[in-house]
Amino acid sequence: MPSLPVQGRTLVMGILNVTPDSFSDGGRWDSADAAIARGLELAREGADIVDVGGESTRPGAARVEPGEEVTRVLPVVEALAAEGVPVSIDTMRARTARAAVDAGACLVNDVSGGLADPDMGRIVAELECDYVAMHWRAHSTQMDDLDVYADVVGEVGTELSERIGALTAAGVDPARIILDPGLGFAKVADSNWPLLARMGEWSGGARVLVGASRKRFLGAAIARDGIDASDPSVREHATTAVTTLAAHHGAWAVRVHDARAARDAIAVASAWQNATSTPE
Ligand code: PMM
């Protein structure tokens, strides 16, 4: 089974949504064959990990039946792992996480940080795999109403610490937990930027995953006359800018649609960083 790479640079997690309705790539890879081909392409283009998801979490999305989620993701996880591609499973359900890890996934990416399924902590502890705990307040039908913070950095930090407490109480090794600020989840435009700019304050030294790719808050930042930033693909250059900055500030990984652009940005950030520490 392929395992998580260790590279000494920010890793690239390529997004592979096997769904009909995700906000940027929904419907493009919703047959197993198309999804597997896309996963292999992401790996060729530089993704260190391919993140396979079978349930859209775009704002307003309805939940998918558990059986349908497993049917969508399992053949894709199995085929990519068999080809030696490190795979993460993007799910809020412990049952899907277990099936995917049994099929070869090496990382569980849970946008709810264990809040959506009370069995998640126990199952991840049993699976002994790495686990992304993302900051989350509610399912997609309600999340935009929960962008209510007096101090977004402090509150996200506190709520993530509570998740770490619950997960470790369920037996998860804290060193296995990667934190994610949940950009766009219960965060409309302005709440996202302090979480990026002040990563060290809410993360408490844990590994950080940044998932900004093509999200609405980037569209809001780049909107100007002549630019229709309501189309997610128009936000790609802004995504690459975030990747460069996230890599410069030591993010463990970025979760992106365009793996090649992310690898180029990370290479630039590494070259810059190396030059600052090399004597003239
Ligand atoms: N965003 C989406 C889905 N899964 N997982 C993590 N860890 N972090 C994110 O920000 C995140 C995620 C929604 O975006 P998509 O529809 O492009 O997958």
Side-chain angles (χ1 to χ4, degrees), residues 137-160:
R137 286 186 162 175
H139 286 289
S140 302
T141 46
Q142 300 149 7
M143 66 182 181
D144 281 357
D145 298 330
L146 298 173
D147 176 37
V148 182
Y149 304 91
D151 161 20
V152 68
V153 172
E155 284 164 60
V156 166
T158 302
E159 289 169 35
L160 283 174

Side-chain angles (χ1 to χ4, degrees), residues 37 41 47 64 77 87 157 181 192 199 219 222 232 239 248-249 253 257 263 273 279:
E41 184 180 46
V64 67
V77 171
V87 174
N192 295 284
M199 214 153 63
I222 62 175
T239 301
H248 188 69
H249 289 280
H257 297 89
R263 279 295 293 271
Q273 200 92 43

Side-chain angles (χ1 to χ4, degrees), residues 9-10 12 45-48 243 258-268:
R9 60 161 166 80
T10 297
V12 173
E45 288 177 352
D48 301 291
T243 295
D258 186 336
R260 166 115 202 261
R263 279 295 293 271
D264 289 354
I266 291 163
V268 168

Side-chain angles (χ1 to χ4, degrees), residues 36-100:
I36 293 162
R38 174 60 184 157
L40 295 172
E41 184 180 46
L42 280 166
R44 276 196 306 276
E45 288 177 352
D48 301 291
I49 311 160
V50 172
D51 189 39
V52 179
E55 177 171 50
S56 171
T57 48
R58 78 181 154 72
R63 298 224 59 195
V64 67
E65 288 301 315
E68 171 67 16
E69 186 190 17
V70 173
T71 305
R72 286 178 185 176
V73 296
L74 223 52
V76 181
V77 171
E78 223 160 44
L80 293 177
E83 292 289 334
V85 176
V87 174
S88 63
I89 177 68
D90 185 349
T91 185
M92 291 182 258
R93 291 193 176 101
R95 193 182 135 212
T96 310
R98 185 199 286 284

Side-chain angles (χ1 to χ4, degrees), residues 112-199:
S112 83
L115 280 170
D117 185 338
D119 291 335
M120 187 60 100
R122 182 176 56 79
I123 298 294
V124 169
E126 280 175 27
L127 294 171
E128 295 186 339
C129 61
D130 279 20
Y131 174 78
V132 175
M134 197 192 81
H135 179 261
W136 183 89
R137 286 186 162 175
H139 286 289
S140 302
T141 46
Q142 300 149 7
M143 66 182 181
D144 281 357
D145 298 330
L146 298 173
D147 176 37
V148 182
Y149 304 91
D151 161 20
V152 68
V153 172
E155 284 164 60
V156 166
T158 302
E159 289 169 35
L160 283 174
S161 298
E162 287 165 6
R163 297 319 308 147
I164 294 174
L167 291 160
T168 51
V172 179
D173 175 354
R176 292 275 199 187
I177 301 175
I178 297 145
L179 297 181
D180 182 323
L183 302 172
F185 289 79
K187 291 156 209 100
V188 186
D190 290 347
S191 302
N192 295 284
W193 292 107
L195 293 166
L196 283 168
R198 293 161 60 193
M199 214 153 63

